[in-house]
Amino acid sequence: MRTGSGASSTTPNEVSAFQNFIDLVTGGGASFARDDTIVIEDGVASKEEYLRVQFVDGDRLWFSAINASAYSRGLRFAHAAGSAVRQVTLVEKTVAIDYVLTAATGTITEVTEFGAGNKVLMTYSTDFVIPAVYGGTLNESPDLEESWGDWMGKALVSGTYQLGLYAVKSFSVTVVGTSTGYSDASRPAIKDFLVGSATAIEPNQRISSADNCYRCHGDISFHGSGRRGYETCLLCHGVSGSEDRPRYVAANAPATPSTTLDFRTMLHKIHQGEDLSQGSSYAVVGFGGAPYPNNFTAHSYEKVGFPAKPSGTKNCAVCHGKSNEAWKRPADRNHPLGQTLPTRTWRAACITCHDSTAHVAHMDVNTSSSGYESCDVCHGPGKAQNVERMHLIR
Ligand code: HEC
Ligand code: HEC
Ligand code: HEC
Ligand code: HEC
Ligand code: HEC
């Protein structure tokens, strides 16, 4: 129940739906704090909405992202420039103690007096419904936008989608008064299914088989042994535009503005580790056990060597598979309708291992000012510098 309201400000620019932050006019951020609940467009029908602030970054209020539910994920509605933003006080009411709920009609009846004139906010869950548009990515921010394949707010595209299910068991063993905690995860059950007008399943075959990884790793278990199996990783790390842990989750974390968790980029970089030109400045911010604002660990990979013989990471087929074609040319990842800046698929894959300033410049120079990449002209299949030929193993 809403019992009061506090400081207020306004938005200088228009704000789009799904966005997971709002900007306030100069100086507006000073009136707000982490954990505040705010209302935007108070009293305006079909526009009024409530969100919990995770981080105040100057005049920007950050919410959350799809991978973390403690704060609001993002906006339900778009708002015009000049929209009012106000801090409100909410008091939680408990079912059976403060009110009873008639589920069939959604009616609530007060048991204790709520107080005349106070607004009552309710949330409810339903069975999962596939949304009409894409939500943001993991640790969403505007740093990696649609040129990195982030489809936030764009219409759902027909095609093959994946559902994965895995289980994690945590337990502790006590020996002579000392307890040690363990957890272990199952390999996933994965099911491809069709959405919209698609008629044939097109499985993800960028890596021909997870066994290619297990030749070196035996097993792939990560996140405190909470996730296991390459197919599990891809459920999250196959998402274009996904980002490492942001400062709105861990305020003292270093800013890593263009770091993606997408395996197309991150997994190449990890294994290129010691041969990267800028390996020591490549950091991925991950989970950390310390309390907020130090709940992060920054990982770098400049000591990782890739033991494949011959030629190390140049031996693309070691991971991709002998008969695999996916590594020879990145697939088109433009949205069929909603793309304004083209997705730079070559950058996402090639900049990973070839990270020197000269190489980055070569890629930027060969990208038009409107964002189109010309790489295919020289590096496409059959062309003089085609990817396969450039990575021949001798
Ligand atoms: C030729 C051997 C080899 C192959 C093939 C290989 N890796 Fe690795 N990988 C390594 C080595 C060596 C390291 C660095 C040492 C370590 O952390 O185990 C590493 C590190 C990693 C890390 C980072 C671990 C950390 O502690 O941060 C991940 C994740 C990973 N590999 C996943 C994969 C996946 C997924 C595949 C398949 C697509 C794969 N690897 C294929 C050798 C290999
Ligand atoms: C449910 C989503 C999810 C799954 C499944 C998942 N990850 Fe992650 N991973 C993340 C997120 C989110 C981050 C960024 C850190 C954060 O915000 O917690 C991350 C960070 C990482 C990092 C970089 C930073 C660090 O913590 O070392 C590596 C390496 C990694 N994951 C490997 C894996 C591997 C290997 C698997 C499969 C066994 C896997 N992940 C499965 C969501 C996931
Ligand atoms: C350590 C394992 C590993 C090695 C070695 C490796 N890759 Fe990859 N590559 C991956 C993974 C994992 C992905 C992402 C798979 C996914 O998203 O389904 C990927 C994705 C790609 C893609 C993107 C495909 C697309 O359609 O977007 C290209 C291109 C690519 N790799 C090229 C190469 C080239 C060229 C080499 C050798 C010079 C190479 N890779 C070596 C693991 C590897
Ligand atoms: C997994 C790491 C990796 C990825 C991904 C990768 N390369 Fe390479 N590439 C190498 C290595 C290693 C060499 C050997 C020469 C070197 O050390 O730079 C190489 C060599 C080359 C060369 C020959 C340069 C020379 O001087 O011999 C070209 C051209 C090239 N890559 C283009 C690409 C393009 C285009 C992509 C994206 C489709 C790509 N590479 C992706 C690792 C990678
Ligand atoms: C006009 C032809 C042309 C275009 C277009 C072009 N490249 Fe190249 N690229 C080359 C040549 C030539 C080399 C040097 C090959 C060698 O060393 O044998 C090269 C080298 C590279 C290398 C390897 C650098 C090294 O020495 O390790 C990468 C990575 C690369 N290009 C990526 C790209 C990407 C990504 C694009 C598109 C954004 C692109 N190139 C567009 C001709 C081109």
Side-chain angles (χ1 to χ4, degrees):
M1 186 180 67
R2 183 172 152 183
T3 58
S5 49
S8 64
S9 184
T10 53
T11 57
N13 311 312
E14 62 182 75
V15 178
S16 39
F18 305 104
Q19 194 175 302
N20 64 342
F21 64 89
I22 48 166
D23 289 323
L24 302 174
V25 292
T26 308
S31 313
F32 296 87
R34 178 175 161 86
D35 292 330
D36 277 356
T37 300
I38 58 164
V39 57
I40 308 179
E41 298 205 57
D42 195 5
V44 181
S46 304
K47 287 287 180 186
E48 173 178 349
E49 62 175 317
Y50 293 79
L51 298 104
R52 189 156 166 245
V53 176
Q54 179 159 217
F55 183 54
V56 180
D57 186 9
D59 293 325
R60 180 167 286 188
L61 308 184
W62 282 99
F63 311 114
S64 185
I66 49 166
N67 54 312
S69 56
Y71 294 85
S72 317
R73 282 180 183 175
L75 299 160
R76 289 176 200 207
F77 308 119
H79 300 280
S83 292
V85 178
R86 180 184 296 277
Q87 185 263 327
V88 293
T89 311
L90 301 181
V91 175
E92 197 172 332
K93 295 291 179 187
T94 312
V95 68
I97 296 173
D98 298 306
Y99 66 93
V100 288
L101 171 71
T102 313
T105 56
T107 313
I108 64 162
T109 310
E110 292 165 47
V111 174
T112 59
E113 174 57 43
F114 278 19
N118 284 334
K119 283 191 177 180
V120 178
L121 312 180
M122 295 177 70
T123 56
Y124 58 91
S125 6
T126 63
D127 290 343
F128 180 73
V129 179
I130 295 183
V133 294
Y134 298 97
T137 62
L138 302 152
N139 294 326
E140 174 66 45
S141 91
D143 290 343
L144 297 182
E145 23 58 3
E146 59 180 338
S147 78
W148 289 91
D150 185 340
W151 282 0
M152 183 172 72
K154 297 188 202 298
L156 203 77
V157 175
S158 297
T160 304
Y161 288 70
Q162 223 174 43
L163 187 68
L165 194 68
Y166 56 88
V168 185
K169 182 175 167 123
S170 299
F171 53 97
S172 78
V173 178
T174 306
V175 180
V176 229
T178 307
S179 297
T180 311
Y182 296 92
S183 59
D184 206 359
S186 67
R187 289 263 173 92
I190 300 279
K191 184 78 186 159
D192 286 339
F193 62 98
L194 296 173
V195 167
S197 58
T199 50
I201 295 279
E202 291 176 35
N204 176 2
Q205 287 169 335
R206 288 187 283 267
I207 297 293
S208 67
S209 162
D211 290 339
N212 305 345
C213 313
Y214 303 144
R215 277 181 16 208
C216 291
H217 286 287
D219 197 355
I220 292 184
S221 174
F222 212 78
H223 297 298
S225 305
R227 325 250 195 268
R228 191 167 151 233
Y230 174 69
E231 293 86 353
T232 302
C233 316
L234 267 200
L235 294 171
C236 296
H237 290 279
V239 180
S240 304
S242 55
E243 299 181 40
D244 64 341
R245 181 161 288 208
R247 290 184 56 241
Y248 61 77
V249 173
N252 285 351
T256 49
S258 55
T259 305
T260 177
L261 295 176
D262 187 347
F263 268 3
R264 286 181 193 89
T265 303
M266 186 179 85
L267 205 82
H268 287 150
K269 274 201 181 297
I270 287 179
H271 292 89
Q272 182 77 356
E274 64 180 18
D275 293 325
L276 286 173
S277 297
Q278 313 194 39
S280 57
S281 56
Y282 172 69
V284 183
V285 180
F287 173 83
Y292 178 86
N294 297 315
N295 48 332
F296 71 95
T297 315
H299 303 265
S300 67
Y301 304 95
E302 74 271 24
K303 296 203 172 64
V304 174
F306 192 65
K309 295 269 186 300
S311 304
T313 53
K314 197 180 172 191
N315 201 336
C316 317
V318 170
C319 286
H320 283 276
K322 279 211 166 54
S323 53
N324 185 269
E325 298 284 321
W327 60 273
K328 297 177 186 171
R329 175 203 254 161
D332 175 33
R333 279 188 284 129
N334 285 309
H335 189 281
L337 301 168
Q339 201 84 17
T340 30
L341 266 183
T343 304
R344 293 176 62 182
T345 49
W346 288 78
R347 172 182 62 179
C350 314
I351 215 168
T352 56
C353 298
H354 298 283
D355 69 329
S356 75
T357 40
H359 292 153
V360 174
H362 171 73
M363 294 183 232
D364 285 344
V365 153
N366 284 294
T367 304
S368 76
S369 54
S370 43
Y372 290 96
E373 300 182 305
S374 63
C375 327
D376 213 52
V377 173
C378 303
H379 298 297
K383 302 294 163 54
Q385 279 83 31
N386 72 70
V387 174
E388 186 174 13
R389 192 170 145 246
M390 292 295 111
H391 298 103
L392 273 184
I393 306 304
R394 276 176 263 267

